[in-house]
Amino acid sequence: MVVTDGPAGVRINPTRENDKNTYYCTAFPVGTLLASTWDVELVNAVGKAMGNEVLEYGADILLGPGMNIHRNPLCGRNFEYYSEDPYVTGKIAAAMVKGVESQGVGVSIKHFAANNAETDRNSLNTNISERALREIYLEGFRIAVQEAQPWTVMSSYNLINGTYTSENPELLTNILRKDWDFKGFVMTDWFGGKDPIAQMIAGNDMLMPGTPDQIKKIVTAVKDGKLDVKLLDRNVENILNVMLQSPRFKGYKYSNKPDLKAHAEVTRQAASEGMILLKNENSALPFGSGIKNIAAFGNTSYDIIVGGTGSGLVNKAYSISLSDGLKNVGLNQNEELHNLYSNYLKLTKEGRPQLKGFMALMGSRPIEELNLNKDIITGMANVCDAALITIGRNAGEGSDRVNDKGDFQLSDYEQQLIKNVTTAFKAKNKKVVVILNVGGVVETASWKDLPDAILLAWQGGQETGNSIADILTGKVNPSGKLATTFPVIYEDNPSAKTFPGKELASTKSADQGPMSSFMRNVPAEVTYEDGIYVGYRYFETFKVKPSYEFGFGLSYTNFTYGNLKLSSPKFSGNITVTVDVKNSGTVAGK
């Protein structure tokens, strides 16, 4: 069988030796955006398109979706995951799994379990209560397994309460198979765990990618009577039962020609429906007929971030920048400003060394924002009808984000840019919109009062610019709602004191080359002192006011709710709640 990354689309090389053809894949929206749609039918459609590319490019299993909980806003891979809430996570993941597997290929839901930080991920011991583990960190996986029966589950790198997940029979056999009736096979994350004998006994059926040393140890253990060959037979059977379902085993003649054009349309729709309108004073959006000339500020207005790095990266044929999207809907951009940014980005990129191989996968550090003086900004306010300011952030596998300026917090220059642009444009009674082109949560409370509108665009895949433009012009009414809380300050998050954990060794491990961030094995631990109080459970229970709460999201129309009814005045087993929802505004909306 052939497996392929990843959560935001199939990751294969677009070119092949002695072959003039190209084999691009669709970069779909990231997990945080898909969960923000709260739309299982839409996510299922994305899964079908993704699964078709797996099938037609000759693969059998997609290594995704990622579905770990957003315990902390700084986790480097939160963009791959769905939510701080296990129910939302499970339902969205189940829809994705069903969509992908409807195409006759499989998935590997990951990373099982409690893998909520990237720092020291290969050696991090997660101390967690049974209740928190069951209610928060396993519940999404349970829903996905029982509702969608994924072909495979990927065990995570970390330890839980002192035992590697891939060596934990309670997790992989008792809970996953006996409690949840999982039918597929379990694979490790690449080079995960330490003891191949313990992994075999635990029910971690396949070791990825597998090493000669592991093979030798397993064979020796069987010969020495330390490993019952019946356990190996069990594990092999689990693998073979999935293999029998695979396109490769069935001899499927794949085309190498999935319908990328149709999948781009799916991407464009999904992206626009997962974007969230966080603020819209005085109906600043959508732009009316009087808005024709736009001043677009910020590097990522021209160099859009369509998805995260690492295994979430997709080799796509193109990406639509915000600048492209504006042009495609007939909005003019100030040519002087456009040229300033375009030339700056071009020259800066040319001056950087080209990353290749593994390092290219990890991505470059962001280009420092073009520093504009006030005179240029004032000049734009004189000649343009409205301003857009795009704030970009990216993250990925192998490291976590930081609570610092330029990452979770806005940099001093970004704060100043928002202030200067809003001052100049509001002096002319013109609107300013901030667009957040981010994969995860950023600080908003210190600056959100300044602009007229804020659109949380997330990272929408290769059609991101078109999807944003569809919302700005009102072609699409934003209907996304937050599936993760935006705190006022980082320290308001209940896991802030313990994330990402602490290293226990007195000296750090020696650098191991380009894989060092992946394979460092410094003993580390983290204690989930927040227990079940993750995300909105904490903010609601302890009356901590967020900047934007879980479930928040505005619309271009208004909805009224009425006629609330309960099926019974007492709760016993099940209760049904009904409510009438009416669009009482002037435009169509969800």
Side-chain angles (χ1 to χ4, degrees):
M1 288 185 291
V2 173
V3 302
T4 177
D5 281 331
V10 179
R11 187 166 68 80
I12 58 174
N13 290 329
T15 56
R16 301 174 186 175
E17 275 190 48
N18 304 317
D19 189 339
K20 294 179 181 177
N21 297 309
T22 54
Y23 303 93
Y24 289 108
C25 298
T26 304
F28 293 95
V30 297
T32 44
L33 184 150
L34 292 178
S36 300
T37 68
W38 298 65
D39 188 338
V40 291
E41 291 181 10
L42 183 67
V43 174
N44 183 263
V46 172
K48 285 179 178 176
M50 207 179 291
N52 178 256
E53 294 188 18
V54 176
L55 178 69
E56 295 303 341
Y57 276 135
D60 301 284
I61 293 173
L62 181 75
L63 300 174
M67 50 180 299
N68 293 105
I69 293 293
H70 293 176
R71 175 179 178 253
N72 185 284
L74 301 185
C75 175
R77 294 181 86 172
N78 274 352
F79 74 94
E80 291 186 37
Y81 308 145
Y82 296 128
S83 177
E84 65 191 29
D85 178 68
Y87 184 77
V88 173
T89 294
K91 287 291 184 179
I92 296 292
M96 176 62 75
V97 171
K98 287 177 183 176
V100 174
E101 294 195 346
S102 72
Q103 303 302 296
V105 295
V107 301
S108 189
I109 60 173
K110 63 186 189 181
H111 309 87
F112 190 60
N115 180 186
N116 310 107
E118 288 296 288
T119 305
D120 294 315
R121 63 179 182 169
N122 298 86
S123 53
L124 185 65
N125 179 29
T126 301
N127 297 308
I128 184 170
S129 72
E130 181 74 11
R131 182 182 177 190
L133 184 64
R134 286 279 188 165
E135 291 186 21
I136 305 296
Y137 300 99
L138 296 184
E139 180 63 6
F141 284 100
R142 181 195 67 77
I143 293 169
V145 166
Q146 294 189 334
E147 292 191 4
Q149 273 298 338
W151 285 15
T152 81
V153 169
M154 183 186 294
S155 57
S156 54
Y157 284 123
N158 56 289
L159 303 85
I160 295 179
N161 297 330
T163 303
Y164 281 101
T165 59
S166 60
E167 300 173 14
N168 190 331
E170 174 66 18
L171 186 67
L172 302 185
T173 297
N174 293 344
I175 294 175
L176 184 58
R177 292 197 184 276
K178 293 180 180 177
D179 290 359
W180 301 348
D181 199 30
F182 173 62
K183 302 293 189 187
F185 73 83
V186 178
M187 70 172 78
T188 61
D189 206 337
W190 268 233
F191 303 103
K194 277 194 172 181
D195 183 348
I197 315 307
Q199 290 172 312
M200 291 297 98
I201 293 170
N204 199 116
D205 306 296
M206 181 180 283
L207 307 184
M208 291 300 287
T211 67
D213 183 60
Q214 288 173 327
I215 295 168
K216 183 179 178 181
K217 285 180 178 177
I218 290 170
V219 171
T220 301
V222 173
K223 287 179 179 177
D224 292 347
K226 294 178 181 177
L227 177 60
D228 190 339
V229 76
K230 289 180 181 177
L231 292 177
L232 288 186
D233 290 342
R234 173 199 67 184
N235 296 354
V236 170
E237 184 178 340
N238 291 333
I239 297 167
L240 293 181
N241 282 335
V242 170
M243 191 172 280
L244 292 175
Q245 303 176 56
S246 68
R248 190 158 297 268
F249 180 83
K250 293 177 179 178
Y252 180 75
K253 300 289 190 278
Y254 56 91
S255 68
N256 270 323
K257 293 180 180 178
D259 192 344
L260 298 179
K261 189 174 181 181
H263 298 169
E265 285 300 313
V266 172
T267 297
R268 181 171 180 169
Q269 181 195 356
S272 62
E273 296 210 13
M275 293 178 182
I276 301 169
L277 188 61
L278 294 177
K279 182 181 180 181
N280 195 25
E281 284 189 352
N282 303 318
S283 300
L285 292 174
F287 287 152
S289 57
I291 307 290
K292 290 186 171 63
N293 300 303
I294 304 292
F297 297 92
N299 290 353
T300 42
S301 290
Y302 304 89
D303 192 14
I304 206 86
I305 302 168
V306 303
T309 62
S311 61
L313 188 72
V314 178
N315 293 311
K316 61 212 171 289
Y318 64 88
S319 67
I320 302 295
S321 69
L322 176 59
S323 177
D324 298 329
L326 295 174
K327 183 179 178 182
N328 292 340
V329 295
L331 288 171
N332 301 320
Q333 295 159 75
N334 182 273
E335 192 173 347
E336 180 188 350
L337 192 60
H338 183 284
N339 291 339
L340 272 174
Y341 274 102
S342 298
N343 291 334
Y344 168 71
L345 290 167
K346 182 172 181 284
L347 288 170
T348 306
K349 286 181 179 179
E350 286 175 355
R352 289 182 158 199
Q354 282 291 102
L355 297 176
K356 294 182 180 179
F358 178 77
M359 296 311 293
L361 178 64
M362 300 315 297
S364 307
R365 57 183 171 78
I367 294 173
E368 193 170 323
E369 280 288 339
L370 173 61
N371 198 325
L372 299 174
N373 64 47
K374 281 188 179 181
D375 291 341
I376 293 175
I377 293 170
T378 302
M380 294 301 130
N382 289 332
V383 297
C384 296
D385 301 321
L388 299 176
I389 307 169
T390 309
I391 304 294
R393 292 291 186 274
N394 211 358
E397 195 170 357
S399 62
D400 290 307
R401 298 170 58 204
V402 291
N403 175 31
D404 209 348
K405 293 178 179 179
D407 195 345
F408 179 76
Q409 303 168 36
L410 266 59
S411 69
D412 290 340
Y413 176 72
E414 288 169 330
Q415 290 266 11
Q416 198 62 45
L417 180 65
I418 293 173
K419 184 178 179 181
N420 290 344
V421 171
T422 52
T423 299
F425 275 75
K426 285 188 176 183
K428 300 289 183 180
N429 201 26
K430 295 174 180 179
K431 306 299 183 188
V432 177
V433 180
V434 170
I435 296 167
L436 296 175
N437 176 208
V438 297
V441 175
V442 293
E443 187 273 323
T444 54
S446 67
W447 55 269
K448 68 180 183 180
D449 291 340
L450 294 173
D452 300 285
I454 303 171
L455 178 66
L456 175 55
W458 297 118
Q459 295 167 345
Q462 66 190 50
E463 290 283 329
T464 297
N466 283 333
S467 299
I468 295 172
D470 287 343
I471 290 175
L472 296 178
T473 56
K475 181 181 177 183
V476 173
N477 187 348
S479 57
K481 309 286 181 189
L482 284 177
T484 196
T485 301
F486 274 52
V488 171
I489 56 174
Y490 172 70
E491 289 74 16
D492 283 348
N493 192 284
S495 61
K497 290 179 181 177
T498 58
F499 182 87
K502 58 183 179 181
E503 293 185 350
L504 303 178
S506 57
T507 56
K508 295 189 176 183
S509 62
D511 184 75
Q512 298 168 24
M515 292 295 283
S516 59
S517 64
F518 280 61
M519 294 302 153
R520 290 174 77 247
N521 276 302
V522 177
E525 70 174 6
V526 60
T527 298
Y528 284 13
E529 294 173 353
D530 40 334
I532 64 163
Y533 296 105
V534 176
Y536 69 85
R537 286 168 169 78
Y538 169 79
F539 287 89
E540 283 284 310
T541 304
F542 297 99
K543 306 286 189 289
V544 178
K545 185 174 175 56
S547 184
Y548 293 107
E549 67 269 20
F550 178 89
F552 183 84
L554 303 176
S555 171
Y556 293 157
T557 189
N558 297 306
F559 296 95
T560 53
Y561 306 84
N563 199 23
L564 177 67
K565 291 181 181 177
L566 305 182
S567 59
S568 168
K570 292 183 179 179
F571 176 72
S572 179
N574 291 301
I575 195 165
T576 302
V577 185
T578 57
V579 62
D580 294 341
V581 182
K582 181 183 180 182
N583 183 344
S584 54
T586 56
V587 294
K590 289 188 177 183

